[in-house]
């Protein structure tokens, strides 16, 4: 009983850097091209395109949301926000790497803005659930926005504040989304890339609150 409760506690609480799994020096193998968009998964990307990073629960369904958007060049799933270098899927599931499952989105800002990506992010999951998303429980399913510029950071915070007001007005709780400058992104294994395109009847637990997000003009 102690062992089970201890494991549950680790999955619901982020480890300290000293507690994290050691990982490895080399990147884990992944696929080279996007299964749907047919673009190189790791670039090079066209000049002027921008990159965004979002965690909103299981990355299988989350990635599908973004690759369907007009103006998105390529997407990839992976792990971010943790301590363990080059973690495996099995390692992240223990809660001992500190990572959450995220989607990397490369987009043409002339076609789809960062504000539009933020709107899709907020409306596609429940950002008030802490270390879980629906039936998916653990630190790897926490809501997160990892930003790659000061402009993204300010836009993410502004959109959070506006959406918090909308959620509060509808009786929902406090947003727990982690918003922070991006650290290292580690590509997930090939089996997880574009999973729902390869497995159209596969698991997807994403469910929004039903509350619309009006992204402030400053974030557009």
């Amino acid at each position: 009983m102690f062992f089970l409760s201890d494991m549950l506690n680790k999955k619901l609480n982020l480890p300290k850097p000293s507690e994290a799994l050691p990982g490895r020096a080399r990147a884990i193998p992944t696929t080279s091209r996007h299964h749907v968009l047919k673009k190189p998964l790791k670039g090079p990307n066209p000049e002027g395109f921008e990159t965004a990073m979002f965690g909103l629960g299981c990355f299988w369904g989350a990635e599908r949301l973004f690759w369907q958007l007009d103006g998105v060049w390529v997407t990839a799933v992976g792990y971010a926000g943790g301590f363990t270098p080059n973690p495996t899927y099995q390692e992240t599931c223990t809660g001992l790497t500190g990572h959450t499952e995220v989607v990397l989105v490369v987009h043409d800002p002339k076609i789809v803005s960062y504000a539009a990506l933020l709107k899709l992010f907020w409306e596609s999951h429940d950002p008030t659930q802490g270390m879980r998303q629906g039936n998916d429980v653990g630190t790897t399913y926490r809501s997160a926005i990892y930003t790659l510029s000061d402009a993204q950071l300010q836009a993410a915070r502004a959109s959070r504040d506006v959406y918090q007001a909308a959620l509060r007005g509808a009786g929902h709780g406090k947003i727990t989304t982690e918003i922070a400058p991006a650290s290292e992104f580690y590509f997930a294994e090939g089996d997880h890339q574009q999973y729902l395109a390869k497995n159209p009847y596969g698991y997807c637990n994403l469910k929004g609150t039903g509350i619309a997000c009006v992204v402030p003009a400053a974030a557009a």
Side-chain angles (χ1 to χ4, degrees):
M1 178 63 72
F2 173 79
F3 173 78
L4 291 176
S5 63
D6 185 55
M7 286 301 294
L8 181 61
N9 181 63
K10 288 183 183 300
K11 288 177 68 66
L12 294 177
N13 293 279
L14 289 170
K16 298 176 182 177
S18 60
E19 299 171 334
L21 297 177
R24 56 201 49 78
R26 290 189 176 185
I28 58 174
T30 191
T31 188
S32 60
R33 301 187 73 82
H34 196 283
H35 184 74
V36 178
L37 302 176
K38 309 304 181 184
K39 307 292 197 312
L41 210 64
K42 297 184 178 182
N45 302 314
E47 185 177 353
F49 282 24
E50 298 178 358
T51 303
M53 196 185 304
F54 304 100
L56 53 158
C58 176
F59 52 20
W60 293 344
E63 185 186 18
R64 181 171 61 180
L65 288 173
F66 290 100
W67 84 53
Q68 294 176 342
L69 283 180
D70 187 29
V72 168
W73 173 256
V74 74
T75 61
V77 295
Y79 318 110
F83 309 110
T84 300
N86 299 300
T88 66
Y89 179 74
Q90 289 76 15
E91 288 171 342
T92 62
C93 286
T94 67
L96 294 175
T97 73
H99 295 93
T100 188
E101 295 187 5
V102 298
V103 182
L104 193 73
V105 183
V106 178
H107 65 107
D108 182 349
K110 296 179 180 178
I111 299 176
V112 58
S113 66
Y114 186 64
L117 300 182
L118 287 169
K119 178 177 174 63
L120 181 63
F121 166 80
W122 291 119
E123 293 180 350
S124 298
H125 74 303
D126 184 347
T128 70
Q129 293 194 10
M131 299 298 184
R132 66 180 299 162
Q133 195 60 215
N135 294 328
D136 294 324
V137 179
T139 57
T140 53
Y141 302 111
R142 68 187 188 273
S143 176
I145 304 173
Y146 296 123
T147 60
L148 290 97
S149 68
D150 288 340
Q152 284 191 357
L153 182 61
Q154 296 306 316
R157 288 172 174 170
S159 67
R160 175 199 58 198
D161 295 344
V162 169
Y163 200 48
Q164 179 64 83
L167 289 176
R168 187 180 297 113
H172 292 270
K174 183 179 180 180
I175 288 176
T176 59
T177 302
E178 176 186 358
I179 300 177
S183 56
E184 189 76 21
F185 170 84
Y186 297 103
F187 285 86
E189 297 86 338
D191 289 348
H192 295 290
Q193 304 295 339
Q194 301 85 61
Y195 180 86
L196 290 183
K198 304 169 187 173
N199 303 275
Y201 300 105
Y203 173 81
C204 179
N205 189 44
L206 280 182
K207 184 178 180 181
T209 61
I211 307 300
C213 177
V214 181
V215 178

